[in-house]
Amino acid sequence: MGGAPSVTMRVAVVGGGWAGLSAAVTAVGLGHDVRLFESAAVLGGRARSVHAPALETDIDNGQHILLGAYTATLALMRDLGLDPARRFVRLPLSVRSADGTLDLRAPPGLPAPLHVAAGLLAARGLSWKEKLSALRAMTVLRRSGWKTPRGATVQEWLSLTLQPPRLRALLWAPLCIATLNTPVEQACAQLFAHVLRDSLGASRRGVSDMLIPRTTLSELWPARVEELARSGAFGQGPHGASSAAAALEIHRSTTIRRLRYTGTGPSMREETGGEGGLCAGMPAGAQRLVLDDRPEAYDAVLLCGNTPSTSRLLATLPAQPGGDAFLDDLRAFEHAPIATLTLELERSFVLPSPMLLLHEDRHRGHFGQWLFQGQDAGRRLLHVVVSDADALLQWERSSAVAGMVEQLREQLRGHAMPAVLQHALIVEKRATFLAVPDLRRPGNRTPWPGVWVAGDWTDTGYPAVLEGAVRSGRDAARAMHASFSGASLGS
Ligand SMILES: Cc1cc2nc3c(=O)[nH]c(=O)nc-3n(C[C@H](O)[C@H](O)[C@H](O)COP(=O)(O)OP(=O)(O)OC[C@H]3O[C@@H](n4cnc5c(N)ncnc54)[C@H](O)[C@@H]3O)c2cc1C
């Protein structure tokens, strides 16, 4: 991380989700003086811990899984001095249903991508025709360089590759909903192909592993950023660059509502480069930015909220050529909810696998799609995940909870699930953007001088996932740095 900075800029990061934190850590690593502002009382954004009074403990706002392919997130954790091997349960790729009717596991010992092919061929619960169809679809995708027809939905791609209806219902639709939070009829085939490339189609075994956090999401690494910021460790030693002025200050419970330019010229302090206090790429007399009525001005602002928040803030700045089109693109994003039901059981209960597929039957209130073993020491927590959860929201909460508990009892029959003592149902209404085809996702640059954007919704090539957020934040900070210092962007 880092590299010798030519100047120290004063940088504001708005938003303390994974994109904002990644941007802040990257910017301070590049030698800048960074302030991060977060509306909420806790960092993490859509991947954060919350207190659940009924359970008398902290839980996540939703179960999150990562993939071995999430290299930027794992690298960031290592840079922060954290060991991913200790912080995640690492599971070889598998799709096993709670009722045992589907069991697809990559056998040990075989190299990728043969391990997935062998797993598919040996899978329990699929006919030979279905297995060969799935393999054919993966082969076609791989040969095409993971490209799907332009503008196609997942449904159209499944038809094009002649996937049988039962295979769609058993395998493809649950995978699509789980990874894109968008039903197959609407979901973008190209983004789904990217997900398949990193999972079923991975070219190295570890890349397709599923990583389940052992700690709450806030403890996973955001807490470490706060700890380092508080102790002033950024800017010194392995976490920071060579600039003594590099620092990160975090302001929680602070919502930024307005941006404006102030024309007082650049503030950067000359460090190892630059001419007369200016560096290459920085126009003389460039405007600086002020947030609300705060006294300080910033050389750069990185907006790391979701699309509604980012477009609202950009709209407070004076119009710029291309600005309206940029805002229109942001306003075109739609969002979908994810619900997570956490159950506290009377006694310890270990699932046959830490993650199990559930068969959904919305008419019966069986909304659950995936079931996760909680990471609590007593093994008494279970998490039921419902993506694309609009249908659940039409139900009265207690009936929906009762429906899902009944679903677990039915599908886990033979495993004697203990009585449920307490529960917490968390619904994130804007959990992710709807991953539809032809969505225009902007890059990190904006038409407004000095303003960059980051978030899982930018043009990362991923659906709305943690890795996309981390990459986006990192790349926004690098682009900001490069534009001021004339440095070339790293990979
Ligand atoms: C229930 C659920 C389950 C999920 N499961 C997975 C999963 O299994 N795997 C996976 O990879 N991804 C998953 N995701 C998606 C993942 O959480 C997101 O992609 C990621 O957290 C987005 O990070 P972000 O930083 O881009 O945005 P956010 O997390 O939304 O962060 C934006 C932050 O900016 C703050 N903010 C906004 N406006 C302002 C302002 N004006 N002033 C100050 N602060 C502001 C917000 O409060 C927020 O904290 C899931 C999401 C949810 C909700």
Side-chain angles (χ1 to χ4, degrees):
M1 181 163 53
S6 50
V7 288
T8 294
M9 313 293 301
R10 180 169 280 181
V11 177
V13 174
V14 180
W18 283 37
L21 288 166
S22 163
V25 171
T26 306
V28 76
L30 289 166
H32 300 295
D33 179 15
V34 183
R35 308 279 147 88
L36 181 144
F37 302 93
E38 165 55 47
S39 296
V42 289
L43 297 178
R46 278 171 282 149
R48 68 185 184 285
S49 313
V50 292
H51 187 68
L55 307 175
E56 294 176 357
T57 187
D58 287 351
I59 56 173
D60 291 333
N61 66 322
Q63 175 71 51
H64 281 64
I65 63 167
L66 293 85
L67 290 177
Y70 286 4
T71 50
T73 306
L74 299 176
L76 175 60
M77 288 176 69
R78 282 188 209 101
D79 279 348
L80 292 167
L82 303 170
D83 178 6
R86 288 167 167 269
R87 297 206 162 227
F88 293 107
V89 176
R90 192 176 259 269
L91 284 182
L93 187 68
S94 70
V95 184
R96 296 172 65 181
S97 65
D99 66 359
T101 54
L102 180 68
D103 192 344
L104 194 169
R105 278 183 253 184
L110 280 178
L114 283 182
H115 67 314
V116 171
L120 260 174
L121 291 176
R124 199 168 67 207
L126 296 177
S127 69
W128 276 105
K129 183 178 173 209
E130 288 160 349
K131 292 175 185 181
L132 293 174
S133 300
L135 271 181
R136 194 177 50 240
M138 290 300 293
T139 309
V140 169
L141 260 189
R142 185 187 303 280
R143 288 207 179 127
S144 69
W146 305 99
K147 290 259 181 313
T148 59
R150 207 188 162 86
T153 62
V154 172
Q155 176 93 305
E156 286 161 352
W157 174 74
L158 293 173
S159 300
L160 213 66
T161 53
L162 306 175
Q163 300 300 291
R166 186 170 166 278
L167 179 65
R168 295 183 191 202
L170 263 184
L171 185 67
W172 296 127
L175 285 183
C176 177
I177 284 277
T179 54
L180 271 63
N181 194 25
T182 308
V184 285
E185 306 80 44
Q186 289 175 276
C188 170
Q190 187 55 67
L191 278 181
F192 190 52
H194 288 170
V195 170
L196 293 177
R197 176 195 61 199
D198 290 344
S199 50
L200 294 178
S203 51
R204 280 186 297 118
R205 272 196 84 111
V207 166
S208 62
D209 284 352
M210 296 179 293
L211 310 181
I212 302 180
R214 285 183 200 275
T215 64
T216 61
L217 288 166
S218 293
E219 284 171 73
L220 193 59
W221 65 270
R224 175 76 172 154
V225 177
E226 270 201 299
E227 186 193 318
L228 293 174
R230 238 192 329 262
S231 67
F234 286 114
Q236 312 160 3
H239 305 294
S242 52
S243 167
L248 172 59
E249 213 178 277
I250 295 177
H251 300 260
R252 292 189 265 140
S253 305
T254 308
T255 302
I256 302 302
R257 301 185 193 282
R258 195 161 46 88
L259 306 177
R260 71 186 157 81
Y261 286 107
T262 172
T264 54
S267 73
M268 78 282 273
R269 277 146 286 193
E270 191 177 357
E271 294 277 324
T272 57
E275 242 170 58
L278 288 177
C279 57
M282 182 70 184
Q287 292 186 318
R288 304 179 68 211
L289 286 134
V290 173
L291 313 185
D292 295 328
D293 297 321
R294 304 185 72 84
E296 71 279 8
Y298 293 90
D299 304 301
V301 174
L302 307 182
L303 298 179
C304 305
N306 60 9
T307 49
S309 149
T310 302
S311 57
R312 268 198 307 274
L313 279 172
L314 287 172
T316 64
L317 284 169
Q320 294 292 327
D324 285 347
F326 193 90
L327 291 179
D328 285 346
D329 287 348
L330 262 56
R331 289 171 184 145
F333 280 76
E334 293 179 83
H335 296 86
I338 299 180
T340 310
L341 172 65
T342 298
L343 301 173
E344 184 193 351
L345 305 178
E346 192 179 25
R347 56 187 160 73
S348 162
F349 180 57
V350 179
L351 295 173
S353 168
M355 173 183 168
L356 291 168
L357 175 71
L358 295 168
H359 302 298
E360 199 184 343
D361 183 352
R362 294 180 178 192
H363 298 296
R364 297 177 64 204
H366 292 192
F367 293 107
Q369 295 155 354
W370 296 89
L371 174 63
F372 288 84
Q373 180 87 58
Q375 292 304 312
D376 57 305
R379 289 287 185 263
R380 289 172 56 205
L381 297 183
L382 296 180
H383 307 292
V384 182
V385 175
V386 184
S387 297
D388 182 30
D390 277 322
L392 180 148
L393 297 181
Q394 311 304 317
W395 279 51
E396 205 254 317
R397 276 174 98 92
S398 58
S399 311
V401 172
M404 287 188 274
V405 172
E406 178 189 81
Q407 177 186 18
L408 294 194
R409 292 215 177 281
E410 265 187 39
Q411 297 186 19
L412 282 170
R413 69 177 161 258
H415 293 284
M417 186 177 93
V420 175
L421 294 184
Q422 294 291 349
H423 71 268
L425 178 63
I426 299 181
V427 180
E428 285 278 351
K429 290 210 169 129
R430 277 186 183 149
T432 70
F433 63 83
L434 264 187
V436 294
D438 298 328
L439 196 57
R440 282 201 299 275
R441 296 170 68 182
N444 299 119
R445 288 168 195 278
T446 77
W448 287 269
V451 183
W452 282 261
V453 292
D456 60 358
W457 49 272
T458 59
D459 189 15
T460 62
Y462 288 88
V465 290
L466 297 165
E467 175 74 358
V470 168
R471 284 179 187 234
S472 178
R474 177 199 66 186
D475 293 348
R478 286 180 178 173
M480 175 276 296
H481 176 76
S483 90
F484 283 114
S485 66
S488 61
L489 275 176
S491 59

